Amino acid sequence: MRASRSKSRFVGNSGVVGICAVVLFLATPASSLHAQKAPAGVWEGYDGEWQHVSEQLIALAEATPEDKFAWRPAPGVRSTSEVYMHIVVANFYLLSITGPKMPADLKDDADKTVTSKAAVISWLKRSLEAVKQAHLKETPEHLAHKVHIADRDSTVDWMYLRIVIHANEHMGQLVAYARMTGVVPPWSK
């Protein structure tokens, strides 16, 4: 009994200090803890998040030297240009599920055949702008419209959610590629 009382007194005192530290931490406004300004678009809904990832994708593509567009981390893994073009094809395909048609000049093998920096960036900008403009025209009624993709039913709204998540997923991949090839993402300088 005596040992446990001594221990509880010790834990009690340090526990009070710990509780005070937690209370002070929780009472400190988040803005004081993270004095950085949030990037444009972040926490501003779908259109803001789409703007943010679009700007990052374009900035990273533009910062990547031409010769790095052919780089791949291992045989059989997508090259840098293939990842960008995968985003392009996915943007247009997923958007087509919501209504707009696939571009007639986007070939089935574009992810393998469009490899130059200039062509990739041109297609990337085009696909990002297509998603932006289509979403800006959406109505609540159309966003709730049911669509079918692969093996499931979905909605137009959920397709847009998939588009922005997919772009961010591959943004992370491209940042890793950039770091492995010595390219510093412009927003982290």
Side-chain angles (χ1 to χ4, degrees), residues 2 4 28 34 43 49 52 64-66 122 129 151 158 170 189:
R2 177 181 273 181
S4 65
T28 304
H34 300 286
W43 303 305
E49 293 293 342
H52 177 69
T64 302
E66 174 85 33
S122 176
E129 187 65 18
D151 65 341
W158 295 344
H170 289 294
K189 289 182 181 177

Side-chain angles (χ1 to χ4, degrees), residues 13-163:
N13 289 340
S14 64
V16 169
V17 172
I19 289 171
C20 288
V22 169
V23 168
L24 286 173
F25 176 77
L26 293 175
T28 304
S31 60
S32 297
L33 295 173
H34 300 286
Q36 291 181 334
K37 183 179 178 192
V42 173
W43 303 305
E44 295 177 10
Y46 182 90
D47 294 325
E49 293 293 342
W50 187 249
Q51 172 194 337
H52 177 69
V53 73
S54 294
E55 289 172 358
Q56 284 188 315
L57 284 165
I58 292 166
L60 189 58
E62 289 174 342
T64 302
E66 174 85 33
D67 66 317
K68 302 300 184 202
F69 274 66
W71 183 87
R72 64 183 75 241
V77 178
R78 286 184 179 123
S79 69
T80 301
S81 69
E82 289 170 342
V83 175
Y84 280 114
M85 289 308 296
H86 170 73
I87 295 167
V88 168
V89 171
N91 286 347
F92 282 122
Y93 171 68
L94 295 171
L95 191 58
S96 77
I97 301 298
T98 74
K101 302 272 186 238
M102 292 284 291
D105 56 334
L106 181 61
K107 305 299 180 212
D108 289 341
D109 61 352
D111 58 331
K112 302 283 187 219
T113 58
V114 178
T115 58
S116 75
K117 178 177 177 172
V120 168
I121 291 173
S122 176
W123 272 108
L124 180 64
K125 287 179 177 180
R126 184 174 165 189
S127 77
L128 297 169
E129 187 65 18
V131 172
K132 174 185 173 183
Q133 292 306 317
H135 192 262
L136 287 173
K137 294 175 188 171
E138 288 293 350
T139 64
E141 295 79 24
H142 190 253
L143 287 171
H145 179 77
K146 299 282 186 207
V147 296
H148 187 81
I149 183 168
D151 65 341
R152 65 195 63 208
D153 291 326
S154 189
T155 66
V156 169
D157 194 30
W158 295 344
M159 296 308 300
Y160 280 105
L161 181 59
R162 181 69 248 162
I163 293 170

